[in-house]
Amino acid sequence: MRYLAGIWRLAIAALCFIGTSPAWHAVSLWAFLMYQIGFIAGIVMLWSGCASILRGVQPPAWLRGFVLTYAFSLAAVHFFVTPAAEFGVPAQQVIPLSAQVLALIVVGMLAVDFFAFEPHRAFKPVYPLVWLVYLPLYAAFAIARAYWFPHSGPTANAYPYDYLNITQFTWGGAGVACLKIVAIYLAAGVVLCLFDRALPAKSAAE
């Protein structure tokens, strides 16, 4: 089973790198959170896939959980809360799939990997809060970048998302949007930890 798990994880990594391929042609696209998380997920899955096949050291639990939480949360935010500007980027992919379809495939494959191949009972209760740290760091980066380089793209005003646009900032609108997003990411982390606690400690890939 570990070989199957390794191949599955390497396939996820390949799709992640294919999905982030537009950013290699237009550097400004790295301002989008989806591309950053997609690349991180690709690295983690590449590491995990090689470790499965070669019986190496797997990525730490907090890093695996971070990738899963952000992948699931991004899908939830972009499909149910606010449209993803990333999905409007022209595809430059080896596989002719739209960004939406590719994102759904990756998220689905990550879910299968978590339930079928991951060891469990490894997440600590504090992890959902720890995983949230990336959000303010990302927001600070995105706002500072757009402020100092207003014509750098990837959008007309350089702000990757409308709720981060301080030139059109309102406390009410920005506050509600940020609370919704934080709530989704926190809920995803908590649910992930609950599943991790409920599932068997030993994985099928071990």
Side-chain angles (χ1 to χ4, degrees), residues 150-159:
H151 305 294
S152 59
T155 61
N157 54 30
Y159 292 94

Side-chain angles (χ1 to χ4, degrees), residues 42-91:
I43 294 295
V44 172
M45 287 296 105
L46 178 62
W47 175 0
S48 184
C50 291
S52 296
I53 294 172
L54 302 175
R55 290 191 180 276
V57 177
Q58 287 287 343
W62 68 265
L63 183 56
R64 299 196 311 268
F66 167 83
V67 166
L68 290 169
T69 297
Y70 276 71
F72 298 153
S73 299
L74 276 168
V77 169
H78 290 336
F79 283 99
F80 301 111
V81 178
T82 179
E86 300 98 313
F87 290 161
V89 176

Side-chain angles (χ1 to χ4, degrees), residues 1-2 116-118 202-206:
M1 284 295 287
R2 66 186 180 88
F117 302 128
E118 285 283 357
K202 188 175 178 63
S203 75
E206 293 179 345

Side-chain angles (χ1 to χ4, degrees), residues 68-123:
L68 290 169
T69 297
Y70 276 71
F72 298 153
S73 299
L74 276 168
V77 169
H78 290 336
F79 283 99
F80 301 111
V81 178
T82 179
E86 300 98 313
F87 290 161
V89 176
Q92 295 173 328
Q93 301 165 352
V94 177
I95 300 176
L97 294 174
S98 68
Q100 297 98 317
V101 173
L102 196 55
L104 283 175
I105 291 173
V106 169
V107 169
M109 291 181 71
L110 284 170
V112 170
D113 181 72
F114 173 73
F115 285 105
F117 302 128
E118 285 283 357
H120 298 292
R121 302 182 185 177
F123 295 160

Side-chain angles (χ1 to χ4, degrees), residues 159-174:
Y159 292 94
Y161 306 107
D162 290 340
Y163 61 86
L164 294 177
N165 188 346
I166 60 174
T167 64
Q168 301 175 356
F169 180 83
T170 62
W171 284 107

Side-chain angles (χ1 to χ4, degrees), residues 111-146:
V112 170
D113 181 72
F114 173 73
F115 285 105
F117 302 128
E118 285 283 357
H120 298 292
R121 302 182 185 177
F123 295 160
K124 297 179 180 179
V126 73
Y127 279 0
L129 293 176
V130 173
W131 294 329
L132 288 179
V133 171
Y134 195 80
L135 286 179
L137 293 177
Y138 168 76
F141 154 76
I143 291 171
R145 175 188 171 279

